[in-house]
Amino acid sequence: MQSSSNLFPVALISAERRGDLSEDVYRLKPGNSPDYSVELAVTRLGMADGSEVRGVPVILLHGSFSNRRFWYSPKGLGLGAYLARLGFDVWIPEMRGHGLSQRNHDYRKNRVADYARYDLPAIGAFVREQSGQVPHWIGHSLGGITLAAALGGHYLGEPAVASAAFFGTQVSRTYWPLKIPPVEWSGRFILKRFAQLSGSRLKRGPEDEPIGLALESMRWYGLFGRFGDAQKNWWAGLADVQVPILAVSAAGDQQDPTWACRKLFEQVGSAHKQFVCLGREQGFTDDFGHVEMLVSKAAHAEVWPLVARWLADQHAPLLADPSRLAEAV
């Protein structure tokens, strides 16, 4: 693998013009985890006819059963393309075995713990090396959970994170059957027979998810579970986080409800944080859903500009009308 980095082997596997956008795809081989077969694809978006000087870097983390297309469609649509056209330096990683990232040797054992401890720090270091600036991070659903784990586990911190934004992100929803040990044990026994969960069969998205993620989440939600791994309590570690934080929920989100998203927001110790609920009661035109909060015509009109305002100034209230701001600290 040829290298365009002083950190670890990196290959530029594609450099294309997509309409008015430039699309460069890198393959990173960090070699920092027990599984040395891990390779991560990271797409960089910019303006095709823009200057060589890039804007502020933003890293977008996709959720479960998804890939880079959540942020950037083949037609050049999506929040990633929107931010690139505003002048931001947009980076879109794809987690192990998703999209252009090949499945690693121990794919079935992949966990959030691996993404947070090994992959996100490597991605962040590469983006900082290439851009010369500290990036902002935005995560949706599982991408947000991974980002929270990296911050709470102190794998990422202020030297590597300018701000963090969580969309539809929570780890507090209670699944009562998993509180009954025999039910949890039976579930684990059944799941261990599979290598992955099929996104297409479950009608959850275009990608599969390794069974390791399901087993890990069952431990979080078990009788004595916690958001963390055997070494660290990520939930407790969130109280030490001091970077600016944005947490966004959707009033119509049945998967990650507002009350649960707010609990994660409240656990973060940052003095500069804002919480916004996307719903009619808060002055928006619709009660957004889990995906629609970022991928819809309404999101383009109402949510994407909100994201751009956050990236421009993390200390200013996001909504002009204070009554629409769910919470600002």
Side-chain angles (χ1 to χ4, degrees), residues 42-241:
V42 182
T43 299
R44 187 183 197 181
L45 296 181
M47 296 303 298
D49 297 322
S51 66
E52 295 183 2
V53 178
R54 302 261 187 163
V56 177
V58 182
I59 299 175
L60 305 177
L61 303 175
H62 64 75
S64 58
F65 302 102
S66 188
N67 53 42
R68 66 178 179 153
R69 293 308 183 191
F70 181 84
W71 305 107
Y72 165 58
S73 77
K75 294 183 178 180
L77 304 175
L79 178 60
Y82 174 84
L83 293 177
R85 292 184 176 108
L86 289 181
F88 291 97
D89 186 10
V90 177
W91 298 79
I92 309 176
E94 293 177 289
M95 294 298 99
R96 304 177 181 193
H98 292 72
L100 300 175
S101 294
Q102 298 179 358
R103 292 193 177 188
N104 54 302
H105 182 268
D106 292 329
Y107 167 79
R108 74 183 311 274
K109 298 180 180 179
N110 288 340
R111 306 167 300 157
V112 166
D114 302 312
Y115 302 159
R117 184 186 305 234
Y118 305 116
D119 299 350
L120 263 58
I123 292 166
F126 178 66
V127 170
R128 293 199 309 276
E129 179 194 48
Q130 298 297 308
S131 68
Q133 301 182 67
V134 179
H136 298 271
W137 296 70
I138 298 175
H140 174 253
S141 194
L142 184 63
I145 291 175
T146 303
L147 179 56
L151 291 170
H154 302 146
Y155 310 125
L156 286 177
E158 289 188 80
V161 181
S163 73
F166 304 101
F167 282 78
T169 301
Q170 62 84 26
V171 291
S172 298
R173 187 176 177 183
T174 302
Y175 299 91
W176 290 112
L178 295 179
K179 300 295 184 182
I180 305 172
V183 174
E184 181 190 359
W185 299 336
S186 299
R188 285 180 173 275
F189 177 78
I190 294 171
L191 287 176
K192 285 181 178 179
R193 301 173 59 186
F194 300 92
Q196 71 270 330
L197 298 175
S198 171
S200 58
R201 289 184 180 180
L202 295 173
K203 298 182 179 180
R204 295 291 301 277
E207 300 283 345
D208 297 337
E209 289 295 342
I211 208 64
L213 286 180
L215 295 171
E216 181 183 42
S217 64
M218 288 184 70
R219 179 174 54 76
W220 295 345
Y221 297 116
L223 183 59
F224 299 108
R226 68 177 190 183
F227 181 53
D229 60 9
Q231 288 75 42
K232 291 189 176 183
N233 185 332
W234 305 332
W235 182 261
L238 286 172
D240 300 324
V241 174

Side-chain angles (χ1 to χ4, degrees), residues 31 49 95 102 139 177 189 206 247 279 292 300 303-304 306 322:
D49 297 322
M95 294 298 99
Q102 298 179 358
F189 177 78
E292 291 78 13
H300 185 179
V303 183
W304 297 359
L306 181 147

